[in-house]
Amino acid sequence: MENNHSGKASLKHGSYSMMLTILVLGFLVAVNILVHKLPVSWVSYDMSDVKIYSIGDKSKDVARSIDEDVTIYLIGKDDVYDHILNQMLSLYEDLSSKIHVKNLDINRDLSVLMDYGVDQLTIEEGSLLVVSAERSKFIPEADIYELDYAKTAQAAYKQYYYNYDGEGEVTSALIYVTTDEIPKIYTITGHNEIPMGETISSAVKKANYDIQEVNLTTSKISSDCDILLINAPVTDYSPDECNQIRDYVDRGGKLMINCTYENYDMQNFRNLLLYCGIELKQGVVFEQADHSKDANNPFVYFANVSSSHALTQNMSQNSYVYTHISTGLFTSDTKKNSVTIKPFLQTTDGAFQRVNYKTESKVTKTADDISGPLTIGLTAEDSLTGMKLVAFGTANLVDDSILVTFPNVLNSDLYISALNYLCSFDRSVSIPVKNTDFGQNLYMASSRNKALVITVGALPVLILLIGFVVWCRRRNR
């Protein structure tokens, strides 16, 4: 009788334990589900040095301003997706009900990418596709994790290092797919002009400009040209080509002109600049100030950025512009009264322009040289026609070799700022790349849905089974 009573008490106690276990597990499941329903920003904290799992105020403003449906597809394979991008995209999704994030598996959903004209050769795990009703933008994985050439070159072993630009690319894409009109840049070809390098071309496209080419010997300047780019022609323009450009100027056109010291020998090109109020003089700039010049090359120096010009006023004055082989730009004595010239990039007082550079080899200034400070970058505006122009005295400002070797210089930012100044484009946002220590193998974690299944479903069930087994064993004692 006593044993029977003891067994009933044990069974009753075991039932209570079982019930309590079920209630606790139910509570934990409910809490897990609630936590996963909350915005990611509420339940996570970014402890990384460069805040790789966070987005900045500019990106937040862009996300909140989205007023049409946008879908961001995160591309993976075998249901495995980049956990860094997954976390970051959740932040965008939390900020706007118009932003929708979906995972897209290459093995199952390749046709979706094909429908948006994505080149199959560029599709990799970790790529993104941003889509609105108006247009789409594909972001290759290589643009998100950018190879750090300088760090990779210095590595003792065959190790590759990457920097992270996920936030910059996504924010730029959101602007691109929701902007009514994308500014078009037409670069003049046909005279061995220096082409845009891969690095600056990528930056310009990221800033949401469309880049086209035009050969004025066979075509006319298109009516949808927002900026006409003249990039250091090697041979002179014909009178007819110059007339086309003058007509464009008279219609209030916007020009960016990059010059070299060799352009002085091109009479038609020089006359074109004079028409806009700018004079080229013979010579190459030498910098003598110790704090600005390269110790081994007087043609290489760090130019001073004006803090008072509208083009540069928002730039960090602690940065510098690396300048390589330039010529000075001068205000023409014959410029029209309606044209205003303003410098924004200059040498120090100690610089000079070597006039007889072909015959004179002295590094010190001579009586024939032109004294500094010399203007390397300026703007010209015509109050009557609406013409706006940005001119640089160097064609190497955004050369690939400079931007890759010196990633911290201001050159690329200055170039993008010049484009924005010309067409008053207020939908271009520059988000700096996050410099981190990604090694060769980028960690690819499971998707959030898989984590949800494990934490909310599998673990509680496993605990429940263990509790059930313990309860059964106690009951059978």
Side-chain angles (χ1 to χ4, degrees):
M1 187 73 176
E2 187 175 340
N3 288 338
N4 187 39
H5 178 75
S6 175
K8 288 182 178 179
S10 177
L11 180 61
K12 186 177 181 180
H13 178 72
S15 298
Y16 284 145
S17 298
M18 183 67 174
M19 184 71 69
L20 183 61
T21 300
I22 293 174
L23 289 174
V24 170
L25 285 173
F27 175 76
L28 291 176
V29 170
V31 169
N32 258 313
I33 293 174
L34 176 62
V35 167
H36 279 84
K37 292 293 184 182
L38 291 173
V40 173
S41 57
W42 292 17
V43 295
S44 63
Y45 181 74
D46 189 352
M47 298 181 66
S48 61
D49 292 339
V50 294
K51 301 300 178 185
I52 200 167
Y53 296 98
S54 307
I55 59 176
D57 291 338
K58 289 181 180 179
S59 295
K60 292 176 182 177
D61 291 341
V62 169
R64 293 189 183 107
S65 70
I66 300 296
D67 57 3
E68 60 181 286
D69 287 324
V70 175
T71 302
I72 305 175
Y73 293 99
L74 172 57
I75 299 169
K77 188 176 182 181
D78 299 327
D79 285 326
V80 176
Y81 301 92
D82 187 320
H83 79 292
I84 295 175
L85 290 175
N86 225 338
Q87 174 87 359
M88 184 194 69
L89 293 177
S90 297
L91 297 177
Y92 284 93
E93 196 173 28
D94 291 343
L95 290 167
S96 173
S97 61
K98 297 292 186 179
I99 298 176
H100 315 283
V101 178
K102 295 182 179 181
N103 290 333
L104 191 153
D105 193 294
I106 297 175
N107 293 332
R108 296 192 309 267
D109 310 308
L110 189 60
S111 60
V112 175
L113 297 171
M114 299 295 99
D115 290 342
Y116 287 100
V118 180
D119 183 355
Q120 188 170 353
L121 296 176
T122 65
I123 300 173
E124 293 182 293
E125 301 164 65
S127 301
L128 297 169
L129 176 65
V130 184
V131 178
S132 71
E134 193 67 27
R135 61 176 68 90
S136 65
K137 186 173 185 179
F138 177 72
I139 307 172
E141 187 264 354
D143 289 350
I144 297 171
Y145 295 100
E146 298 180 350
L147 182 64
D148 189 324
Y149 291 94
K151 189 179 292 185
T152 298
Q154 294 171 2
Y157 302 97
K158 289 184 177 180
Q159 178 76 11
Y160 295 92
Y161 290 91
Y162 298 83
N163 293 318
Y164 178 70
D165 195 24
E167 179 189 352
E169 290 291 347
V170 170
T171 299
S172 172
L174 287 173
I175 294 173
Y176 177 82
V177 301
T178 58
T179 297
D180 293 335
E181 295 184 10
I182 300 299
K184 287 185 171 60
I185 301 171
Y186 280 84
T187 64
I188 296 181
T189 63
H191 298 268
N192 294 324
E193 290 88 351
I194 297 176
M196 268 195 188
E198 183 178 341
T199 306
I200 191 59
S201 180
S202 176
V204 170
K205 291 176 182 176
K206 179 184 171 184
N208 291 318
Y209 286 90
D210 184 13
I211 305 172
Q212 307 284 341
E213 292 185 348
V214 59
N215 188 323
L216 297 184
T217 60
T218 57
S219 304
K220 302 294 183 183
I221 299 173
S222 175
S223 59
D224 66 352
C225 175
D226 294 291
I227 298 174
L228 187 64
L229 175 61
I230 302 174
N231 199 22
V234 174
T235 58
D236 204 1
Y237 293 140
S238 69
D240 179 65
E241 290 171 302
C242 288
N243 287 335
Q244 280 199 62
I245 298 172
R246 287 193 186 97
D247 290 342
Y248 177 73
V249 168
D250 291 340
R251 297 195 303 270
K254 312 299 186 286
L255 294 92
M256 180 182 282
I257 304 178
N258 302 318
C259 308
T260 71
Y261 65 96
E262 295 169 316
N263 290 147
Y264 178 81
D265 298 326
M266 302 177 192
Q267 189 63 52
N268 292 335
F269 181 79
R270 284 171 55 199
N271 288 340
L272 180 63
L273 286 174
L274 283 172
Y275 188 75
C276 299
I278 303 167
E279 182 180 1
L280 286 184
K281 296 182 180 180
Q282 183 170 310
V284 180
V285 171
F286 280 60
E287 179 59 79
Q288 293 296 286
D290 290 336
H291 65 279
S292 293
K293 71 176 181 179
D294 186 293
N296 300 315
N297 192 338
F299 301 115
V300 177
Y301 57 95
F302 304 115
N304 300 320
V305 177
S306 170
S307 59
S308 60
H309 198 290
L311 192 155
T312 55
Q313 63 183 359
N314 294 325
M315 292 187 176
S316 171
Q317 298 306 304
N318 296 324
S319 301
Y320 50 86
V321 173
Y322 185 92
T323 311
H324 179 246
I325 308 182
S326 61
T327 190
L329 303 173
F330 302 87
T331 301
S332 169
D333 294 334
T334 61
K335 81 170 182 64
K336 295 182 289 186
N337 292 331
S338 58
V339 173
T340 301
I341 305 288
K342 289 184 179 180
F344 62 84
L345 190 66
Q346 293 184 306
T347 67
T348 67
D349 294 348
F352 62 88
Q353 182 154 313
R354 170 59 44 82
V355 175
N356 301 317
Y357 65 91
K358 294 180 181 179
T359 58
E360 181 60 69
S361 60
K362 293 179 181 178
V363 176
T364 56
K365 184 177 179 297
T366 68
D368 295 328
D369 295 330
I370 303 171
S371 300
L374 297 161
T375 296
I376 307 304
L378 56 76
T379 60
E381 292 192 34
D382 193 327
S383 59
L384 293 180
T385 65
M387 179 273 291
K388 291 176 74 173
L389 179 150
V390 173
F392 290 100
T394 175
N396 302 312
L397 187 74
V398 287
D399 187 82
D400 269 345
S401 61
I402 291 176
L403 298 183
V404 169
T405 307
F406 305 99
N408 295 322
V409 297
L410 202 63
N411 296 36
S412 181
D413 291 342
L414 180 64
Y415 198 85
I416 300 299
S417 181
L419 295 176
N420 293 342
Y421 166 84
L422 284 172
C423 66
S424 303
F425 186 44
D426 60 359
R427 296 281 283 164
S428 174
V429 176
S430 177
I431 309 271
V433 173
K434 294 182 179 180
N435 299 310
T436 185
D437 289 324
F438 282 123
Q440 189 166 8
N441 297 314
L442 302 175
Y443 174 63
M444 302 289 284
S446 298
S447 67
R448 187 178 180 183
N449 288 336
K450 187 177 290 186
L452 182 64
V453 170
I454 293 173
T455 58
V456 177
L459 288 179
V461 169
L462 178 62
I463 294 172
L464 186 61
L465 287 173
I466 292 173
F468 180 74
V469 170
V470 171
W471 176 78
C472 287
R473 292 182 63 183
R474 287 182 176 178
R475 181 184 179 185
N476 295 326
R477 284 179 181 175

